[in-house]
Amino acid sequence: MVDRGASALSLPDDWPAHPDPILALNRMGSFDWDLDTGLFHMDAQAHEVFDLRPDEYDGHPESLAVRVPRAEGYRLDAMVAQAMKDGSENYGAYFRIRRRDGNLRWTHTQGYIRRDETGRPRRIIGIVRDATEELSESAARRDQAQLDEARRRQTNVVELTTAALAHARTVQDVIDVLKDTHGLTHLGATSLVMGLVEAGRIRLIAEGPAGSFVPGTRVTRIDEPYPMSEVVRTLTPRFIESPEEFADGYPILWPHITDLDITSAAYLPLIAQARPIGAMGLLYSDRRGFSSEERNVLVALGSSIAQSLQRAMFYEQEKDLATGLQQAMLPRTIPSVPGADVAVRYRAGTAAGTLGRDIGGDWYDLIPLPGGRVGAVIGDVQGHDTHAAAVMGQLRIVLRAYAAEGHTPATVMARASVFLHELDTDRFATCLYAEADLSTGVVQAVRAGHIDPLVRQPDGTCRRVAVEGGLPLGLSAEFGRLEYPVRTLELDPGHTLLLCTDGLVEQPGFDLDEGMQTLTALVADGPDDVRKLADRLIDVAEERGGDDDVALLLLRRRGLDAPQAGGRLQQHVAPGDPEALTQARHMIRAAVRAWGSGERADEIELVADELITNALMHTEGSAIVTLRVLTGADRRLRVEVEDSSSALPRRREAGDDGVSGRGLLLVELLTDVWGVEARGGGKAVWCEFMVPGRN
């Protein structure tokens, strides 16, 4: 501090000012600084503040320099000079003094500037007091406020991270949450490492920043000298508070991470249900040490992460089990079918109210049959659990067996319904079975409570094929309604038959018809290749999500230039079922035209109709109509009508009314050859027609 003396040396009459006694009681000293003479009077309390005895102070500011450090003196001089210059009436400042024992203490001063009538500063009266305790308390409050804010931020990060982890389904989801900008990086961590305990080893699943992988640490033993191994062994967190501590504690690891500028680290065991499932490490590059509060927060966060990680591991295990069971129940491979391109797909549904995928009862199957035919199956067992999958597996096997035995589509479906009803289960199933003759393109479809199939033409046009259908499998047997009407349709070369389960159709807020319209539009706009089309439809189902699983089968009949096997079709006609008789006629007409025998279509249809009518009229059971192409030296079309009667047909003379008696005569006149064969307890009346060969 410097003297501010002036030319006038007279002192004011009231100089020095007499302080209020209450100041001394509050340990405040006073001063009176005459700016004209430069005298700086201090009372006894002020001497005590500056730690000066009366004989050590001569009344001039210069003698205070022994207690006021030079830098502090310069700062005070500048502040007072500025206050006098800018017309201020007072000023105040905190500064430090060095006491007799060498300790620095904070001091506070306030001064009131008196001016004359011209505004010139003449005198400063003020106080000084020790402010060390005040500033210490203020600093403590400030530190506490900062600590509270840090705790609030840490608690907020824990809450945000815990909330985000609640939505993590897989282990990778957990890692992504922790690496997210709203995750652990808000705690100041530079990077994250994480490992899972597997068979006495720790497998690294998150390895920190790019380029930080340490060779040989992808899989480590629990007894190796690494921090994650240590916390798994001891089940105790390890807080490393300095690079030196890191280097001393883990000399094998430290040389590999020195380039990361790690200054401290926190390694936490991930414990769930009282056993370690992994470990996590947080690496810091801008701090040393951890307070007790920070340690508690990190330990609590580690516990939350462990719970989420265990939940994710359980989910992945259950998903693998469900997927494995589902795949085991579905066909391992789809056989190659001459004359057709086939694509099948399956997508597991998202379990409602749970994490991730669920197992379901949807299935598909493709069954090669004799005579160039193939059976396509799509179905859905009620429920989404392992029981539904088990029932599905059994039902798929029996459907395949019944179809391979040569039963008609309606019989296959009826027998499958009886089988399901007799199982020890309360489940039912919907199903659609379509038997296609790829040489003729004739398809016979039956439906048990399932959604209708679609047919896509080569130009992209797609239409829904209405199949009358019966009750779902299991229910039709329970209620004694085993009738499954057969819908016959023609699949021309280049046409694609699509069978799917309702998971591909149903959408929230839309009814089934709207869903079928949407699917029809998707198929129409999709690619021509059946595999690419199947991928496209499954991708759409994946984007929509949904609780239900999806099974899909696409069958595209190849062009006429593809190699074709001899054709064979079969139709079951029950007594008193005019619809079945109509379908049999439609099948015969379509097959004859498809096999290139159109010029004899009327003759063949007339003879077949006569044989079917005779079987129904003169026997007590049903008739089974079989139509096939025989190849050899001559190409022939053979019609067989099988019934349960062993009585041979005999020719009769027509009666006077001319209504009956001409059946066998008609057969003999129109066919090239005919005959009768014994078939077990019944017989089959057959006839053959010579037909031209196909180019």
Side-chain angles (χ1 to χ4, degrees):
M1 300 177 69
V2 297
D3 185 7
R4 300 182 185 276
S7 57
L9 299 178
S10 60
L11 293 169
D13 295 337
D14 60 348
W15 190 92
H18 298 286
D20 192 324
I22 198 172
L23 294 178
L25 292 176
N26 287 282
R27 303 180 68 180
M28 295 182 183
S30 65
F31 65 85
D32 193 339
W33 188 3
D34 185 74
L35 299 178
D36 291 335
T37 64
L39 293 177
F40 191 94
H41 177 269
M42 297 192 304
D43 65 5
Q45 187 63 42
H47 281 82
E48 185 176 338
V49 171
F50 280 96
D51 197 15
L52 288 172
R53 294 189 299 269
D55 61 345
E56 293 176 328
Y57 180 64
D58 62 2
H60 291 85
E62 296 90 338
S63 51
L64 294 177
V66 69
R67 291 288 179 261
V68 181
R70 180 175 300 178
E72 297 289 87
Y74 289 156
R75 184 167 62 83
L76 284 172
D77 279 345
M79 183 196 65
V80 174
Q82 182 63 36
M84 291 190 296
K85 181 180 178 180
D86 62 18
S88 299
E89 293 184 354
N90 51 63
Y91 64 85
Y94 288 93
F95 64 97
R96 289 177 299 174
I97 64 171
R98 189 176 299 277
R99 294 181 64 84
R100 196 179 306 276
D101 59 7
N103 290 329
L104 288 172
R105 292 185 66 84
W106 282 101
T107 304
H108 181 255
T109 182
Q110 284 181 286
Y112 175 71
I113 304 172
R114 290 186 176 181
R115 303 175 186 271
D116 59 18
E117 62 276 3
T118 66
R120 178 186 173 207
R122 304 299 297 272
R123 187 178 176 183
I124 299 177
I125 300 174
I127 60 172
V128 291
R129 61 182 176 84
D130 186 274
T132 302
E133 185 175 346
E134 172 194 337
L135 292 185
S136 297
E137 292 176 354
S138 176
R141 288 193 298 271
R142 184 170 60 253
D143 292 343
Q144 184 63 42
Q146 293 175 348
L147 181 60
D148 292 342
E149 176 62 20
R151 288 175 178 169
R152 188 193 63 78
R153 289 197 305 268
Q154 292 171 347
T155 302
N156 188 47
V157 170
V158 172
E159 291 175 350
L160 288 174
T161 305
T162 302
L165 288 172
H167 299 282
R169 296 179 176 177
T170 66
V171 172
Q172 187 58 50
D173 289 342
V174 173
I175 296 171
D176 291 341
V177 168
L178 299 182
K179 284 189 170 183
D180 184 71
T181 55
H182 296 292
L184 292 183
T185 52
H186 280 187
L187 290 177
T190 302
S191 61
L192 165 78
V193 291
M194 182 182 290
L196 295 180
V197 175
E198 297 177 352
R201 284 174 161 74
I202 299 176
R203 178 174 62 86
L204 203 63
I205 59 173
E207 58 185 63
S212 65
F213 173 66
V214 178
T217 61
R218 181 73 68 187
V219 178
T220 57
R221 298 192 311 273
I222 293 179
D223 60 357
E224 291 191 73
Y226 293 112
M228 284 206 298
S229 300
E230 178 182 328
V231 300
V232 169
R233 288 196 309 270
T234 64
L235 303 182
T236 304
R238 178 72 164 94
F239 294 97
I240 304 171
E241 300 191 315
S242 68
E244 294 77 19
E245 184 180 354
F246 211 136
D248 292 341
Y250 308 97
I252 297 177
L253 179 61
W254 179 250
H256 297 285
I257 62 174
T258 52
D259 293 339
L260 299 179
D261 298 324
I262 301 301
T263 59
S264 61
Y267 285 90
L268 308 171
L270 301 177
I271 302 172
Q273 295 182 339
R275 68 180 185 88
I277 62 173
M280 179 182 71
L282 297 174
L283 307 179
Y284 301 85
S285 60
D286 57 355
R287 64 176 297 168
R288 289 179 178 236
F290 299 89
S291 67
S292 59
E293 291 83 1
E294 290 170 333
R295 296 186 182 209
N296 291 336
V297 167
L298 291 175
V299 170
L301 190 60
S303 177
S304 176
I305 292 170
Q307 300 302 319
S308 298
L309 195 60
Q310 185 187 50
R311 186 171 64 249
M313 293 167 65
F314 282 159
Y315 160 67
E316 290 187 347
Q317 292 169 1
E318 291 174 359
K319 177 185 176 184
D320 291 342
L321 175 62
T323 302
L325 179 59
Q326 184 80 40
Q327 294 299 327
M329 295 300 179
L330 292 172
R332 286 182 175 271
T333 58
I334 290 298
S336 176
V337 178
D341 297 318
V342 179
V344 293
R345 297 291 185 271
Y346 174 80
R347 172 197 174 270
T350 303
T354 64
L355 296 174
R357 304 291 193 186
D358 194 13
I359 190 169
D362 289 19
W363 88 95
Y364 56 77
D365 204 357
L366 195 70
I367 309 168
L369 299 172
R373 295 172 300 126
V374 63
V377 184
I378 202 81
D380 182 1
V381 175
Q382 175 196 16
H384 294 87
D385 50 27
T386 54
H387 184 56
V391 171
M392 175 268 286
Q394 297 176 77
L395 198 55
R396 185 180 72 83
I397 292 172
V398 300
L399 272 163
R400 173 176 281 265
Y402 292 148
E405 286 177 355
H407 297 293
T408 63
T411 302
V412 169
M413 200 70 85
R415 292 196 173 193
S417 182
V418 172
F419 171 84
L420 182 57
H421 179 61
E422 293 176 351
L423 276 182
D424 185 19
T425 179
D426 58 354
R427 306 297 176 92
F428 63 85
T430 66
C431 184
L432 193 149
Y433 175 61
E435 187 175 295
D437 188 316
L438 297 174
S439 63
T440 65
V442 175
V443 177
Q444 295 176 293
V446 289
R447 185 172 66 87
H450 205 78
I451 58 176
D452 288 322
L454 301 180
V455 172
R456 183 179 190 257
Q457 299 177 10
D459 62 0
T461 304
C462 186
R463 62 185 175 89
R464 176 180 179 179
V465 179
V467 178
E468 183 178 347
L471 292 175
L473 302 182
L475 296 182
S476 62
E478 180 176 353
F479 294 109
R481 296 171 56 185
L482 292 172
E483 299 81 12
Y484 288 100
V486 178
R487 167 68 190 269
T488 302
L489 58 136
E490 296 179 43
L491 198 66
D492 292 333
H495 287 210
T496 300
L497 178 68
L498 182 148
L499 312 181
C500 67
T501 55
D502 54 8
L504 191 60
V505 176
E506 294 179 343
Q507 300 180 58
F510 295 89
D511 61 27
L512 183 61
D513 288 336
E514 291 174 321
M516 289 295 290
Q517 292 173 5
T518 301
L519 176 61
T520 302
L522 282 172
V523 174
D525 295 336
D528 294 333
D529 183 83
V530 291
R531 296 168 185 83
K532 293 180 179 179
L533 178 58
D535 290 338
R536 169 78 179 279
L537 295 176
I538 290 298
D539 288 343
V540 170
E542 194 71 38
E543 292 171 3
R544 291 176 182 167
D547 299 341
D548 206 358
D549 46 348
V550 174
L552 173 66
L553 187 150
L554 297 171
L555 185 145
R556 181 178 182 271
R557 186 186 175 204
R558 292 183 188 146
L560 294 174
D561 55 346
Q564 302 287 341
R568 178 182 181 274
L569 290 174
Q570 195 171 68
Q571 175 74 42
H572 180 274
V573 182
D577 187 357
E579 179 65 23
L581 185 58
T582 301
Q583 290 174 353
R585 291 167 178 164
H586 182 90
M587 177 193 74
I588 294 169
R589 189 182 310 114
V592 171
R593 186 169 64 253
W595 286 336
S597 307
E599 67 277 7
R600 302 200 67 176
D602 292 339
E603 300 173 8
I604 296 171
E605 184 178 350
L606 181 59
V607 169
D609 191 63
E610 181 64 32
L611 294 179
I612 295 170
T613 302
N614 284 343
L616 295 176
M617 289 182 61
H618 301 297
T619 66
E620 296 180 354
S622 302
I624 299 176
V625 184
T626 303
L627 191 67
R628 71 178 70 189
V629 174
L630 304 178
T631 57
D634 298 313
R635 187 168 183 266
R636 293 162 295 157
L637 193 149
R638 182 182 177 101
V639 179
E640 298 178 0
V641 178
E642 183 177 352
D643 58 51
S644 59
S645 173
S646 60
L648 298 179
R650 57 188 179 85
R651 184 179 302 170
R652 295 183 296 115
E653 295 295 332
D656 294 338
D657 55 7
V659 174
S660 62
R662 295 186 173 85
L664 290 182
L665 178 62
L666 192 64
V667 170
E668 187 171 326
L669 288 174
L670 297 180
T671 64
D672 294 302
V673 60
W674 72 281
V676 182
E677 295 178 357
R679 297 282 177 88
K683 66 179 181 300
V685 181
W686 59 269
C687 57
E688 296 178 359
F689 299 83
M690 302 292 294
V691 294
R694 299 181 61 183
N695 295 329

